[in-house]
Every structure is written in C-alpha cells, then in structure tokens.
Amino acid sequence: MTPPVTTLEETAAAYKQASEKAARRVVICGGTGCIANGALDVFEAFVEQVATAGLKVAVEFNEHTDRGSVLVSMSGCQGFCQMGPLVTVEPDGVLYTRVRPEDVAEIVEATLVRGEVVDRLLYVDPVAHTPCKGTAQIPFYQRQTRTVLAGCGIMDPEDIREYIANDGYVAARRAFTELKPETICEEITLSGIRGRGGGGFPTGRKWELTRIQPESKKYVICNGDEGDPGAFMDRSVMEGAPHRVIEGMMIAARAIGADEGYVYVRAEYPLAVARMKKAVEDARAMGILGDNVFGTGLKLELHVMEGAGAFVCGEETALIASIEGHRGMPSPKPPFPAQSGLWGKPTVINNVETLATIPLILNMGAAEFRRRGTEKSPGTKTFALTGHVANTGLIEVPFGTTLREIIFDIGGGITRKDGSIDPEGFKAVQIGGPSGGCLTEEHLDLPLDFDSLRGVGAMVGSGGLVAMNRNTCMVAMARFFMQFTQNESCGKCVLCREGTKQMLALLDDIVEGRADQGTLDILEKLAVAVQKGSLCGLGKTAPNPVLSTLRHFRAEYEAHVFQKRCPAGKCKALLTPEIDAQLCKGCGLCLRTCPVGAISGERKQPHVIDPAKCIKCGACVAACKFNAISGAIS
Ligand SMILES: Cc1cc2nc3c(=O)[nH]c(=O)nc-3n(C[C@H](O)[C@H](O)[C@H](O)COP(=O)(O)O)c2cc1C
Ligand code: SF4
Ligand code: SF4
Ligand code: FES
C-alpha cells in the first residue's frame, strides 16, 4: 500500500509548533564514542532527574508536549569524542564534557532550575587554561566550517520531522518534481564536487556517464564500508545525519534514473546500520521513498545492507560483488560501474560524505558551494583527527586549510607522552590511512586538497589524520600500515598478495636489526612494483606509507639499518638498556623487578645489566626512581 503523502511544510510546521513549547533542550551525544562511555545512562539519568526536580520532561516534540517542558534528546556524534559523554543545554549554549550519571542531578538543579553553569564540567582550553562555556568558545569548534556535519550533534537523528523542519528533503523534492535529470547532473558538475571516498573523482561526471546509459534499470549505492583504521567520518555522518545521506541518494537516483539503491554499511557499525534502517523506514512511511515519491508516481526503494567487514569490500567493484552475494573481490575496470555495475546494470556508487553534501549543493547552488574550498577541490572535508594532539575527534574544514591550522588551531597542538603540550614536539602527520602518506614540518603550510596531497606523495584517502610527536618511530608506523594492508589483501593478484607480505618481512628485518643496504633497495623496488602491478586501489596504494616515509624520513630508516639504532627509542630489538653508574643509587628496585634476572649488583653500589640475558621489556626503566636506566621502552 502506498503511504499517504504528507507535505514537508505540514510536517515542519507541526514540529516547530511542538518545539516552541519546550523551555529547554538537553542534547546528549548519542554517537558511538559517547555511548561507549556511558551516554545512555546519562540520558536515563536526565529523564529521571528532570522529573524529580519537578520539571516537565519530554523525550520527543509532539502535539502532547507540555508548554515549558524540558526536552531530553540524543544526537549523533558532536565530534569531540575524546571529551564525551557530551551534554549540551539549549538555549543556554552550555556544553558539558565527560558527564557521568552522578553529575546529572547537579546539572538539573544548577542549570535547568537556577540557570547557572556547573563550572567543573566545562571544557578547559589546554593552551589558555580557561574554561569554555560552549562550542562558541572552544577553539576545536571555532576554527571549523561545519556544513555536512552541521546537524550532527544537534538534531535527533532518529526523528525525521526534525530533519524536515530544518529544510530536509526540500532538495530531493525539487529533484523529483521540478528538475530534469540532466539539469541535476549539470548542477553537480558545475559545483565541482569530487568524491570524498578517497579518489576525488568528479561526482557530476560519474552521474552523467550513468545517466546516459540506455538501460532502464539502474542502481544507486552508498558506500558506507569505511574500513580504514582510525577513520570514523562516514560512520558519524550515518549515525548523526542519516536522512541527509538518504536525501543525497534520492537526488543521485533521480539524476541517473535509478529506482533502487543500497546503503552498504560495515557490520561493525551497528548504530549506523540501525539509524540508516530507521531513517529509510520513516522516509518510506511518509511517502518520501517508495512507489510514489513525493506523489510523482516515480519509484525509489532503498535497502540497507550490512557489509562483511573486509577493507577491500570498500573498493567499488568488490562492494558490488558483495551485494550480489559473491566474495568481495575487485574486478578490472573498465567496464566501470557506471556502465555495468550491480547485476550488470548501470550503477552510481558514492561515498557517504559525498552523498550527504549533495542536498547542500542543490539548496545553496553550485556557485555558492564553490565559494568554499579551493578551485579544483571545492567544498569542505571531514577528517578524523587522532594521535598526539590535545583535541582529537571528528572535524570538518574547507579544502585548502593547512595542516598547521588543523593540528595547532583545531587540534590544540602536539602533546607529550603525559598529555601536556609540547610546542616543539611536531614530528609528522600521517594522512589518508593505509593509502596515504606521511608529511613533515615542511608541509605544515601546504593547503590541503586532492591534488596538493598527491603532489607530495600522500592522499586525502579516507580522511584519517594522525598527528605524531617526536617519540614516534616512522619505520614502525609504516610497518603498522603494511601489516594492515597485508592482512587485508584479497589475494587475487600476486603482486599485492605476495608483494605486501615480502614488504612486511623487509620492514620486520629493519625494525629487528637484520637489515642491510640490500633490504632498503629491495623494499623500494618492491614498493614500486606493487604500486604498478596491483589490480585495485588497495594494492596500488599499499606502498604509499612506506614510500612517503622513505622519502621524508630516510635518515630514520638508515639509523635502523646501519647503526642498528631506533632514534625514537621505540623498536624493541634495537634497544640496549644500560644503567648509568653515576645516577644509580644501588637501591635494587630494578634487580627485583627484572623478570629474567639480567640485573646484578650489590646494595648501594651501581648495578649492571647483562645484555645477553635482557629481553628488553623495559620493566627496570619503569621501576627506577632515579632515571638511571636508558635505552629501553619505558
Ligand atoms: C581498498 C579500497 C577501500 C575503499 N574503501 C572505501 C570506503 O570505505 N568508502 C568509500 O566511500 N570509498 C572507498 N573506496 C573508494 C571506492 O572504491 C569508490 O571510489 C568510492 O566509494 C566512490 O565514491 P566517491 O566518488 O563519492 O568518492 C575504497 C577503495 C579501495 C581501493
Ligand atoms: S590489489 Fe590486492 S586487494 Fe586488490 S585485487 Fe589485487 S590482491 Fe586483491
Ligand atoms: S629491560 Fe627487562 S629484562 Fe632487561 S634488564 Fe630491564 S627488566 Fe631486565
Ligand atoms: S560520539 Fe560523542 S562526540 Fe563523538
């Protein structure tokens, strides 16, 4: 049965009328990070404590909402996961961090009843050491341009009416009722948007190529696989703004003439799966999806499918094979999915963030969209900022922003092991995950976009951005990514399957002190061969972390190979713990701690370590109160 078509205006008006009745709104971050830290308990505590304080509580705006009530709702990830669970109180503009259920009664009493701020739960700027009342004062948020993420962290992702009340589905309705498919493709081409899935292919061109295919059956696919270690941008968009993703898919479907589509989400993202499923169901129930989209008689069915959890399944031909029920293995291109995709039909496959950006482009127009970003990479990009920075989390900046702005202004600067800021501590940044590369101090002022990064041997890739301090070993870092790609190679081509294995073995030789000049030479040659001879992007980009570190940190490789020394003091096999006789007080703490009896010495006399027995565990370094032992991991 076709559901009734409710106009967007009616839904928006009803929602706004109900929302105006609320005196305050408490938004608890319901992203994966905050939920893992107890956000659901905080939510329950608010519902209970608001009622206990004698205030009217609502968990949804509707016609039964009492005037003056406090709405307690959840949002998608607000980006500042490290500080979660986050709680925002509006209209007060207060953001509380690391909130635990025990804190809730105090927030209710102070903020909701008396209108005061609970200072101890505010975020304290680690540089200026000042408490910040809300996002407007927090540098992490101030320096960002949140457009794709604008609603994430504010809106209730499970309430379609709130999305609609914020102009949701207006662009999709225009696409279905006013615009011709070719006009949509033209507008998207004019906007200059390039795919956010890593490759940066122009979206308009991909759509137009699919649109002109003569077949009547076509598909649209949203790639929500996101298998890169450390990346969580697409997950956050699906969790925080699922309707925006659906709206982008609807516009893509209309542009190419598809009547069916799939949202492919990795199974390890249960919250994203659940929210996408609910969003599809709610959109169908409102006649936005289904047999009669916006009453036009046009059909669009979307399915949410859970991916098997292999990194290679994010590659578009492997993803298509996976939906078809085959093993997720890439196949050669051409034919491109635009020509022959799912079940041999023309298919557009786009990244989550690309699709979430599409409604913005139709709403603001291509020219306005181009005002952000750079000439050849317009718009904004989300990044997962992690590593040795004071503020980690999900960020969104215009293309063209520099690494310096991201790491120092948004990230708050490089941190030491104890978490304090080290103004001189920057060593490198790894960008683009396993397909990307490492950049150095000399690249800090490089405006980031698809082309500038390729030029220096890195890639926007997944959008993972790992900042590293001076205690990071670049060889070990390259090895980490090689281990990942080697594990994830599907095995179809020899160069990727065997080449990544051999590269990993060579890197093992380097970090374990068995390498010589030949090791470095073979590693470099093999990296180029794997790059050239692999079938899909996994193999083609797998050598990037190695090649970029060889290019920018060659001296560090050479220290491992020729001096058998790890300059960062991280590679265990190359360490030689030694006791400084001047500093040693002969207290015997290390001697008692050593698990293999490698330390000897009389009381009150300097102790010594027998290198033949030592297993380099570092226990003695941690035990020594006089910092007398060096050369091991502490
Ligand atoms: C090994 C591998 C993994 C990939 N993983 C993803 C992914 O998780 N999400 C994604 O959108 N694109 C991924 N891609 C890129 C996709 O193949 C494809 O180019 C992209 O989904 C196209 O969307 P876009 O044009 O919007 O960027 C991956 C590519 C390779 C080679
Ligand atoms: S490059 Fe690697 S992952 Fe890609 S098809 Fe070949 S073996 Fe599989
Ligand atoms: S590093 Fe471990 S094994 Fe070696 S001397 Fe110290 S405690 Fe003993
Ligand atoms: S999950 Fe709450 S801020 Fe990211």
Side-chain angles (χ1 to χ4, degrees):
M1 198 188 73
T2 311
V5 180
T6 321
T7 69
L8 299 179
E9 286 72 17
E10 278 166 4
T11 307
Y15 181 86
K16 280 182 185 153
Q17 206 176 26
S19 65
E20 275 157 14
K21 291 198 231 160
R24 278 210 177 80
R25 181 170 184 173
V26 178
V27 183
I28 296 123
C29 177
T32 292
C34 286
I35 286 184
N37 281 321
L40 293 177
D41 293 338
V42 174
F43 179 89
E44 296 300 327
F46 264 106
V47 173
E48 201 184 299
Q49 293 297 330
V50 171
T52 308
L55 302 169
K56 288 177 206 142
V57 59
V59 289
E60 188 184 313
F61 288 129
N62 56 36
E63 66 272 25
H64 308 299
T65 305
D66 289 319
R67 194 157 290 285
S69 42
V70 175
L71 178 85
V72 181
S73 66
M74 297 204 93
S75 70
C77 170
Q78 305 183 5
F80 215 11
C81 315
Q82 168 203 14
M83 301 306 296
L86 301 182
V87 172
T88 304
V89 183
E90 296 293 359
D92 309 60
V94 182
L95 175 74
Y96 291 125
T97 57
R98 297 203 169 122
V99 179
R100 288 162 309 151
E102 307 86 272
D103 301 320
V104 171
E106 189 181 349
I107 298 177
V108 170
E109 271 306 311
T111 311
L112 300 184
V113 176
R114 299 197 303 272
E116 292 164 8
V117 174
V118 182
D119 291 330
R120 70 178 180 85
L121 294 171
L122 295 179
Y123 169 76
V124 178
D125 183 338
V127 181
H129 303 288
T130 47
C132 305
K133 187 182 159 203
T135 50
Q137 286 93 46
I138 301 178
F140 175 79
Y141 287 106
Q142 271 175 339
R143 311 292 175 101
Q144 296 187 46
T145 306
R146 288 166 86 87
T147 55
V148 175
L149 298 178
C152 287
I154 302 167
M155 280 198 253
D156 181 349
E158 298 194 9
D159 191 342
I160 188 171
R161 299 164 316 134
E162 182 164 20
Y163 182 65
I164 291 172
N166 285 281
D167 295 330
Y169 289 114
V170 167
R173 184 175 62 185
R174 256 188 80 217
F176 274 81
T177 58
E178 287 173 36
L179 303 176
K180 288 199 206 123
E182 52 269 44
T183 319
I184 304 171
C185 288
E186 235 174 73
E187 187 74 358
I188 297 303
T189 304
L190 277 177
S191 76
I193 181 172
R194 296 169 67 174
R196 282 19 182 177
F201 190 81
T203 307
R205 213 180 326 145
K206 193 192 275 191
W207 288 15
E208 179 63 11
L209 189 62
T210 322
R211 184 188 76 77
I212 58 173
Q213 301 302 315
E215 303 237 20
S216 57
K217 180 75 186 178
K218 294 178 189 175
Y219 292 98
V220 56
I221 297 176
C222 167
N223 188 346
D225 194 54
E226 195 168 59
D228 313 56
F232 51 91
M233 298 83 50
D234 294 346
R235 184 192 78 197
S236 303
V237 173
M238 288 186 284
E239 286 176 3
H243 287 287
R244 203 196 279 277
V245 180
I246 293 173
E247 187 173 7
M249 287 182 81
M250 291 181 73
I251 297 165
R254 168 71 176 151
I256 62 164
D259 65 356
E260 199 172 351
Y262 286 83
V263 188
Y264 188 91
V265 193
R266 68 173 25 229
E268 288 92 331
Y269 285 178
L271 192 58
V273 171
R275 294 216 171 127
M276 287 306 308
K277 279 190 177 160
K278 180 168 193 322
V280 166
E281 275 161 26
D282 291 350
R284 195 180 288 131
M286 286 190 67
I288 291 172
L289 289 172
D291 290 338
N292 186 18
V293 176
F294 294 115
T296 56
L298 292 167
K299 183 175 167 237
L300 180 59
E301 281 303 339
L302 294 183
H303 316 276
V304 179
M305 183 173 166
E306 290 178 46
F311 176 53
V312 78
C313 283
E315 197 282 338
E316 52 195 21
T317 58
L319 192 152
I320 287 170
S322 170
I323 296 181
E324 289 174 349
H326 307 298
R327 193 170 149 191
M329 271 189 164
S331 43
K333 292 185 274 189
F336 293 98
Q339 302 154 316
S340 173
L342 191 59
W343 289 296
K345 304 295 176 196
T347 302
V348 146
I349 174 160
N350 272 128
N351 165 261
V352 170
E353 190 184 335
T354 314
L355 289 165
T357 311
I358 297 294
L360 297 172
I361 298 176
L362 281 205
N363 283 334
M364 68 171 75
E368 178 62 26
F369 179 76
R370 290 197 82 107
R371 282 160 57 91
R372 294 194 189 89
T374 62
E375 168 71 25
K376 297 221 167 104
S377 304
T380 56
K381 174 78 192 92
T382 60
F383 289 98
L385 178 61
T386 53
H388 304 136
V389 274
N391 308 322
T392 58
L394 175 71
I395 65 163
E396 182 178 351
V397 290
F399 279 112
T401 302
T402 64
L403 280 171
R404 192 183 297 282
E405 289 166 304
I406 293 176
I407 291 170
F408 292 92
D409 298 344
I410 298 173
I414 297 290
T415 49
R416 299 185 183 91
K417 206 158 103 189
D418 63 3
S420 62
I421 306 274
D422 180 359
E424 306 297 317
F426 178 81
K427 177 162 183 179
V429 54
Q430 209 282 346
I431 181 163
S435 316
C438 262
L439 301 179
T440 67
E441 204 152 7
E442 71 178 277
H443 303 111
L444 277 178
D445 294 309
L446 182 80
L448 298 191
D449 66 25
F450 289 111
D451 309 310
S452 66
L453 283 174
R454 274 220 185 101
V456 291
M459 255 179 98
V460 172
S462 61
L465 230 156
V466 191
M468 289 174 272
N469 68 14
R470 291 202 176 156
N471 296 327
T472 316
C473 170
M474 303 314 286
V475 187
M477 198 277 309
R479 193 196 163 280
F480 167 81
F481 283 109
M482 190 46 65
Q483 172 89 72
F484 177 80
T485 39
Q486 195 263 313
N487 283 347
E488 296 290 323
S489 164
C490 82
K492 187 168 183 170
C493 27
V494 178
L495 270 163
C496 172
R497 185 182 68 231
E498 299 302 328
T500 52
K501 201 170 180 173
Q502 293 309 321
M503 284 179 74
L504 181 63
L506 293 166
L507 288 164
D508 281 342
D509 285 347
I510 297 175
V511 296
E512 285 166 19
R514 295 186 297 270
D516 56 19
Q517 178 67 52
T519 317
L520 280 181
D521 295 344
I522 302 172
L523 181 65
E524 243 171 331
K525 274 195 191 131
L526 199 51
V528 175
V530 172
Q531 218 176 30
K532 289 211 170 117
S534 294
L535 169 64
C536 88
L538 189 149
K540 281 184 194 303
T541 59
N544 284 356
V546 173
L547 285 171
S548 67
T549 42
L550 272 168
R551 183 164 157 191
H552 300 304
F553 295 92
R554 194 165 195 103
E556 205 157 319
Y557 277 87
E558 288 174 349
H560 284 72
V561 173
F562 303 118
Q563 298 158 17
K564 307 292 176 216
R565 188 175 67 82
C566 172
K570 288 286 166 197
C571 294
K572 208 170 153 187
L574 302 181
L575 302 172
T576 34
E578 257 180 300
I579 298 178
D580 183 333
Q582 302 290 319
L583 296 175
C584 178
K585 303 274 185 258
C587 69
L589 263 180
C590 61
L591 188 147
R592 288 195 290 280
T593 312
C594 178
V596 290
I599 304 181
S600 57
E602 297 298 317
R603 259 195 92 69
K604 301 205 173 154
Q605 294 300 314
H607 287 23
V608 284
I609 298 175
D610 177 355
K613 285 190 189 162
C614 172
I615 54 163
K616 306 177 187 205
C617 69
C620 54
V621 183
C624 179
K625 290 189 180 143
F626 307 101
N627 283 331
I629 311 176
S630 60
I633 303 168
S634 58

